[in-house]
Amino acid sequence: MKKSILTAKSLSKSFAHNGEQVHILSGVDLDIYEGDFTVIMGASGSGKSTMLYALSGMDKATAGSVMYDDQNIVLMGEKELAKLRYSDFGFIFQQMHLVSNLSLYENVVVSGYLNKKNSPAEVRERADKLFKRIGIDHIKTHLPSQVSGGEQQRCAIARAVINQPKLLFADEPTGALNRKNTTEVLDLLTDLNKNGQSILMVTHDIRAAVRASRLLYLSDGNIIGELNLSPYGQTEEKSREAQVNAWLNSLEW
Ligand SMILES: Nc1ncnc2c1ncn2[C@@H]1O[C@H](COP(=O)(O)OP(=O)(O)O)[C@@H](O)[C@H]1O
Ligand SMILES: [Mg+2]
């Protein structure tokens, strides 16, 4: 049986808008499992980012609980949350947020040094391996502005996994990339997942969605559909795309 990493119960989030409460998440019950490449889809504005932020402790839920390692993230203080996000979770976004005056390599190792989970030598050893595996070793001394968007995102992924997070959160990580760079980034995420990295990604891009082992669909504040797929690469891409498309059509995507 699959082991749960995160368990959300009755998770709700609302925002005040013009004096009225707008409910974005309305009592979501959800488990995220170890080893899965979970993808949350939904229309633009359906609350995908809001859900990712509430599940990861980047933002506070209005009500409900998110259990991680016997702790309720919703009740944690800012200090505790910061530590959790830093030591147990990894994050990537549409924008890479790399430090512009640090080299790609420095961007990654600094994150490892600050964490103090591993010694500096261990951080560098991990970084060296990651840079080779990710195919950006030859440009590691470049500044972010000197490499492509895809290379920047691959560096941001290396930075996100340098501290061996239990769960890697990704919010539209291919949203700003062209086709070729999108494929490179998705191949990297797939490869990380094959090697055991649990991933939770939100996207509205079908090319990204087909990489999932489990797909969830968010609409009207709740998960209204789920599709489980065999690990990516075991089935032909075309039939996988057809399966995802049929599922999305059934949900009036
Ligand atoms: N901080 C906020 N204050 C008010 N409304 C917000 C805030 N963040 C998001 N929203 C609203 O919540 C809804 C869902 O947003 P979001 O989670 O970003 O959707 P998605 O990622 O699916 O496109 C949108 O209507 C958005 O305007
Ligand atoms: Mg979003």
Side-chain angles (χ1 to χ4, degrees):
M1 214 178 85
K2 279 189 194 169
K3 193 167 168 273
S4 174
I5 305 177
L6 281 179
T7 303
K9 287 236 157 60
S10 309
L11 189 68
S12 297
K13 178 78 187 177
S14 37
F15 295 109
H17 185 69
N18 291 338
E20 274 185 46
Q21 286 294 310
V22 183
H23 302 287
I24 306 300
L25 303 176
S26 314
V28 175
D29 292 320
L30 174 67
D31 274 292
I32 301 298
Y33 299 103
E34 208 165 78
D36 267 355
F37 190 152
T38 308
V39 167
I40 298 172
M41 290 196 86
S44 177
S46 59
K48 299 182 298 297
S49 296
T50 302
M51 177 129 115
L52 198 77
Y53 298 163
L55 289 172
S56 62
M58 280 210 291
D59 195 11
K60 279 269 178 230
T62 313
S65 62
V66 178
M67 297 306 292
Y68 170 78
D69 215 6
D70 293 330
Q71 293 173 288
N72 184 356
I73 289 178
V74 177
L75 298 179
M76 281 185 182
E78 214 19 78
K79 235 181 164 165
E80 252 182 310
L81 274 178
K83 185 164 178 282
L84 174 78
R85 287 193 301 254
Y86 214 78
S87 61
D88 292 46
F89 296 159
F91 293 92
I92 50 170
F93 304 93
Q94 181 170 336
Q95 300 305 327
M96 296 76 182
H97 302 299
L98 295 172
V99 180
S100 61
N101 59 350
L102 293 185
S103 70
L104 299 189
Y105 191 76
E106 285 163 342
N107 263 281
V108 173
V109 290
V110 162
S111 181
Y113 297 157
L114 288 171
N115 188 266
K116 299 197 173 82
K117 200 161 160 182
N118 300 299
S119 72
E122 283 166 341
V123 170
R124 284 192 295 274
E125 196 186 316
R126 271 185 64 72
D128 289 340
K129 277 194 192 138
L130 275 170
F131 271 75
K132 289 200 180 85
R133 177 155 156 222
I134 291 176
I136 52 173
D137 198 50
H138 61 296
I139 48 168
K140 69 180 175 188
T141 58
H142 287 40
L143 293 173
S145 61
Q146 297 170 324
V147 305
S148 74
E151 286 161 342
Q152 285 184 42
Q153 191 61 295
R154 283 189 279 156
C155 176
I157 294 171
R159 181 183 58 182
V161 300
I162 187 75
N163 296 319
Q164 298 144 295
K166 275 290 269 190
L167 185 57
L168 175 62
F169 292 90
D171 189 358
E172 308 270 6
T174 59
L177 302 179
N178 66 23
R179 195 179 189 84
K180 178 174 168 287
N181 286 333
T182 292
T183 304
E184 282 174 11
V185 164
L186 293 174
D187 284 348
L188 171 56
L189 291 174
T190 301
D191 179 50
L192 288 170
N193 178 248
K194 278 203 177 117
N195 284 284
Q197 178 67 59
S198 309
I199 300 175
L200 175 59
M201 172 168 85
V202 310
T203 184
H204 62 256
D205 182 350
I206 299 204
R207 283 173 307 175
V210 296
R211 303 298 180 121
S213 60
R214 180 180 180 224
L215 275 157
L216 302 166
Y217 195 83
L218 183 65
S219 177
D220 288 331
N222 226 313
I223 305 288
I224 61 160
E226 173 166 355
L227 177 69
N228 285 283
L229 294 166
S230 53
Y232 184 81
Q234 288 186 6
T235 45
E236 203 212 330
E237 178 112 16
K238 278 268 173 298
S239 76
R240 199 176 179 92
E241 238 177 72
Q243 212 180 334
V244 172
N245 270 314
W247 176 73
L248 288 171
N249 287 333
S250 76
L251 293 161
E252 298 179 4
W253 158 256

